[in-house]
Each structure stands twice: as C-alpha cells, then as structure tokens.
Amino acid sequence: MESPHGAPRGIAVTAEDFGLEGPRGWAFRGVRIDAEPGALIAVEGPSGSGRTCLLLALTGRMRPTAGHAAVGRMRLPKQMSAVRRVSALGPVPGVTDLDPALTVREQIHERALLQRRFGGSLRSLMRPRSERRQSTERRVEDALAAAGLDLDALSKGPRTSVRDLERLEALRLSVALALIGEPRLLGVDDVDLKLSDAERAEAWDLLRSVAESGTTVVAVCSEAPEGAVVVSTVPAADGPDEEETAETAGAEHCGETEETEETKETKGAADAFAETGRA
C-alpha cells in the first residue's frame, strides 16, 4: 500500500526503556522496539503482562510514564494526538468491539459514514458529495480485499449478523474496518485467542499480508510467529522472585483476578484507561 507520491505508507516504530506505571504498579516497563516501516511487530507475553496497554500506548491511546518511543518522527507521549491520526485499531476487547446487533453490511456502512464525515481533511470535505462517496466506496473495497473478507462467502452474505460470525471472520471484519481509514500503523489485540492452529496460521498470514502491503502492524499474541519483530512484555529478571513480582505488579495494575484470558485483557485495558487517562 503506497501513498499517492509512491512513498511507503508504513511507519517506523521505536522505543527505549518504554513503560507505563499506574497507582497499582507497572502495566509494562523496560520495553525496547526497533521496527522499520511495514514491519509486523508481535507483542508477546502472558495474559496480565501489559500487552494491551503497550498496544494502546504505541497507537497514542494511552499515556506512557517512562522511557520514550516514537512513531515515525512523532514522539510519545508529547505527540499522542498526531500518532492517533496515523494509526487505527482492529479488534481490542472493551475498546473497539463490534456491535452484535448489526449485520456485517450495517457495521461496514456505519464505519464508512464515520470515515467520510470525520476521517478526512477539511479540504476533502469540500469536494463534491459524489466524489467523496466514490472515494469511500473505493476505500471499503480495498479494505475488504486487504482483510480477505468475502461478504458473499458468509453464511447469510452481507446480511449475516455480527454476533453469528466465527472468530476468524470477526477478526477479518475488524481489520477491514480499521483499514478503511488507510492507517500507517494498525494495532490488533489477541490475535491468537480462541483460534485453532489452522485459523491461527490464517490470522498471521492476514496480518503479514497487511504489513507487506506497507502498513506497519502491532499485534498482541501469546506466541509470536516466525519473521516478526518480537517485543516481550515480560521484563528480564535475575531470578524467579523478581520475575514473579514484575508480573504480579502488572496484574494488579490491570485489576485482574482469576478470570478467562479474554476477560482479563478487557479489564486490563479498561482499568489502565481509567488510571492513566484516555487521550
């Protein structure tokens, strides 16, 4: 995927000693990243280790408290709003959930309307309505193709209810919705959650394809695939006690108890938003 001037749309992501601490401890800390534009960055770690918080911090949705990071030439946390303008979120539980009451067609139409109304520059809003509609339709078609989502192949076609989608289909839809805005940085949470081995391979093939087209991808997972830029949210430790303390601090920061992995990640993101301030 390239810009009109032929330059890669992807954007470099770097970080050094990057961390986020809240009233109840560290969500993550000591993170280092050095990824080129168009890279597939896999944020690897166990549930409760601050994976979602790191994803949200790198996309400008959560304010870090230690170290420094940059998305292209934009520094975090000073230029969070600028980073948000060039990034988009795919599935992030509790943040960008799909609406189960809508059909797939309605969900796409809703996002397309929002993109047409709020996603462009002031200059683009002054173009003729028909021209803006055609541009939006092109973006939707390109996004669906990039996400590998064939609407006609769904159980009821475009009229399929969002609540009836399989996990991999829902992932593809969420990615397509994010790509409508033509972001330079895409964030995806829980890539390998509740997927079979075959489905997990398909999910990584999808994100690898998006990255190869030029868009830099940051994806949260429990196990990174081959060829990805791997970032661990588990800090290096000199011994078992130190590692256990670090993981416990992250869990307490996100307010976690003994729940399912999906619920823990959702609560972690929600609590961290409340504690650090959602931008």
Side-chain angles (χ1 to χ4, degrees), residues 179-257:
L179 293 178
I180 290 175
E182 298 183 339
R184 301 181 67 188
L185 176 65
L186 171 67
V188 180
D189 198 11
D190 287 336
V191 172
D192 50 7
L193 180 66
K194 296 183 179 179
L195 293 180
S196 66
D197 290 344
E199 291 172 332
R200 188 176 297 114
E202 282 191 57
W204 284 118
D205 285 345
L206 160 62
L207 298 183
R208 191 174 289 109
S209 174
V210 172
E212 288 174 351
S213 73
T215 302
T216 304
V217 177
V218 180
V220 167
C221 61
S222 57
E223 184 176 353
E226 292 184 8
V229 177
V230 181
V231 178
S232 176
T233 51
V234 179
D238 294 330
D241 293 339
E242 183 178 345
E243 181 173 347
E244 183 178 356
T245 301
E247 292 185 7
T248 302
E252 290 177 348
H253 172 75
C254 291
E256 299 186 39
T257 56

Side-chain angles (χ1 to χ4, degrees), residues 115-129 131-133 135 139:
Q115 176 62 38
R116 195 166 70 193
R117 179 64 182 85
F118 301 107
S121 64
L122 180 60
R123 183 177 181 179
S124 67
L125 292 175
M126 297 176 66
R127 293 184 300 174
R129 181 177 299 179
E131 187 178 332
R132 285 187 285 127
R133 184 184 300 112
S135 175
R139 286 188 176 204

Side-chain angles (χ1 to χ4, degrees), residues 16 40 42 47 49 68 115 130 152 157 159 162 166 173 207 216 225 227 231 234 247 255 262 268-270:
E16 190 68 39
L40 173 59
S47 177
S49 62
H68 57 84
Q115 176 62 38
S130 60
D152 294 330
R159 295 182 292 106
V162 168
E166 299 292 337
L173 176 57
L207 298 183
T216 304
V231 178
V234 179
E247 292 185 7
E262 184 173 18

Side-chain angles (χ1 to χ4, degrees), residues 124-161:
S124 67
L125 292 175
M126 297 176 66
R127 293 184 300 174
R129 181 177 299 179
S130 60
E131 187 178 332
R132 285 187 285 127
R133 184 184 300 112
Q134 291 174 359
S135 175
T136 301
E137 290 174 354
R138 176 191 59 78
R139 286 188 176 204
V140 170
E141 291 175 359
D142 290 347
L144 291 174
L149 183 62
D150 183 355
L151 300 185
D152 294 330
L154 299 177
S155 59
K156 296 181 180 178
R159 295 182 292 106
T160 302
S161 174

